[in-house]
Amino acid sequence: MKLLHLSDIHLTAPGSTIGGRDPRANFERALAHALKDHHDAELMVITGDLSDWGDAADYHWLKQRLDEYPLPVRLCIGNHDRRAAFLSVFPDLSDDNGFVQGVHDTAAGRCLFLDTAHPETHAGRYCDDRLGWLDARLAEHDGPFLLFMHHNPMPVHLAPLDQIRLLDDAPFRRLVGRNRSKIRHVFFGHCHLPLAGSVAGVPVSSLRGTNHASYPLFSETRLLSASDLPQSYGVVFFGEDYVTVHMVEYGYDGPIRIEGSPDYQAWDRETMVR
């Protein structure tokens, strides 16, 4: 089974840019690239920051675009999104408490989409109501589960990013830990970085977004760091006893060398042409 993971698309008004890049154009490029190579994916999940300013117009455009897309797509919201504006366009994605949370079954497991957004802050929260929803969903099914969320549920040891992580991450990790035998993987966004690790014994992964990229500048302790690294999306393969996660840098526009090409034939101990 194959799944596509996109994050941090940061849609803006037509023609507006972030870091010199057009989020709508780059999102369209990601959709086209993913469909060309992965039209057989069972599901696409976008783990928030869907809009850069939480404008309803961005959500209307996104809904229209996804309604036209031939693959099923599920959404999480992030710190740049506005829950009320989002739900005015996607009302069916609300849980009983008004959070953007839901369930979708796939061949690889039951997907749970979590709402870690908190008003007026870039940091994430997962309150008692949301924890209760997750606890109930994990209790009603034998699994396996795949969890999707926006904020990083563990420290990444980059101080500016950890200041805006999921701040009540410890209770979240305790709940995950109690159910670790049921949860195959946790996917998140927010950091705009390729990341891998584990939470309470459960593997996690993240990736750069479809527009602007961060950079792991460990010497900077206060301010977020940006770079011109390529835009990306994720491709995830599931087998019976494994999960393989790729970050596809579709924004890269340099050469790609195929083994057996003239460039490769010259790579030998005699010439060492590189």
Side-chain angles (χ1 to χ4, degrees):
M1 181 260 183
K2 183 193 296 184
L3 177 149
L4 298 170
H5 177 202
L6 280 67
S7 197
D8 296 278
I9 63 178
H10 283 269
L11 297 176
T12 57
S16 297
T17 61
I18 302 173
R21 297 178 177 184
D22 184 332
R24 287 201 187 197
N26 279 317
F27 179 58
E28 290 278 19
R29 289 174 64 205
L31 293 179
H33 193 285
L35 191 60
K36 176 178 177 293
D37 285 356
H38 306 291
H39 59 276
D40 57 341
E42 186 173 328
L43 179 68
M44 173 185 286
V45 183
I46 309 176
T47 52
D49 287 340
L50 307 172
S51 169
D52 196 51
W53 293 101
D55 293 336
D58 294 333
Y59 301 128
H60 282 290
W61 182 87
L62 178 62
K63 186 176 191 307
Q64 179 182 8
R65 186 65 187 86
L66 296 182
D67 284 345
E68 300 166 352
Y69 201 61
L71 298 179
V73 183
R74 292 298 302 260
L75 306 171
C76 299
I77 62 170
N79 49 293
H80 281 256
D81 293 302
R82 293 185 182 274
R83 189 178 292 112
F86 175 84
L87 289 175
S88 72
V89 180
F90 296 94
D92 55 321
L93 298 186
S94 174
D95 70 8
D96 292 340
N97 292 311
F99 294 108
V100 182
Q101 304 201 118
V103 178
H104 183 98
D105 286 322
T106 70
R110 174 163 287 185
C111 300
L112 301 181
F113 310 102
L114 313 185
D115 181 341
T116 60
H118 193 70
E120 309 304 325
T121 178
H122 289 298
R125 291 287 188 184
Y126 208 64
C127 62
D128 288 343
D129 285 340
R130 284 173 276 190
L131 276 172
W133 180 90
L134 178 56
D135 194 17
R137 300 293 79 74
L138 292 170
E140 68 188 11
H141 192 270
D142 292 335
F145 289 94
L146 307 172
L147 271 53
F148 296 86
M149 60 198 298
H150 181 68
H151 289 84
N152 47 306
M154 76 295 193
V156 298
H157 297 275
L158 292 161
L161 283 173
D162 283 340
Q163 291 167 9
I164 57 172
R165 73 181 192 278
L166 186 69
L167 294 183
D168 40 11
D169 52 355
F172 175 81
R173 290 198 298 271
R174 285 195 293 271
L175 178 55
V176 169
R178 291 197 298 272
N179 294 274
R180 66 167 61 94
S181 63
K182 292 183 175 185
I183 304 172
R184 296 191 75 179
H185 204 91
V186 179
F187 300 89
F188 66 95
H190 188 49
C191 298
H192 296 238
L193 290 169
L195 291 162
S198 65
V199 166
V202 176
V204 302
S205 64
S206 189
L207 71 172
R208 288 200 292 273
T210 61
N211 195 65
H212 45 300
S214 296
Y215 188 86
L217 189 64
F218 289 89
S219 59
E220 175 56 58
T221 60
R222 294 190 308 111
L223 303 176
L224 296 171
S225 300
S227 72
D228 292 323
L229 289 165
Q231 304 93 324
S232 79
Y233 64 86
V235 181
V236 188
F237 296 86
F238 298 90
E240 184 177 345
D241 58 355
Y242 71 86
V243 178
T244 302
V245 181
H246 288 267
M247 186 178 74
V248 180
E249 296 177 303
Y250 73 93
Y252 171 71
D253 58 5
I256 299 175
R257 301 175 183 86
I258 307 298
E259 187 173 5
S261 68
D263 282 344
Y264 265 78
Q265 291 171 7
W267 289 16
D268 58 43
R269 290 177 66 91
E270 299 299 324
T271 62
M272 288 300 292
V273 176
R274 299 265 179 185

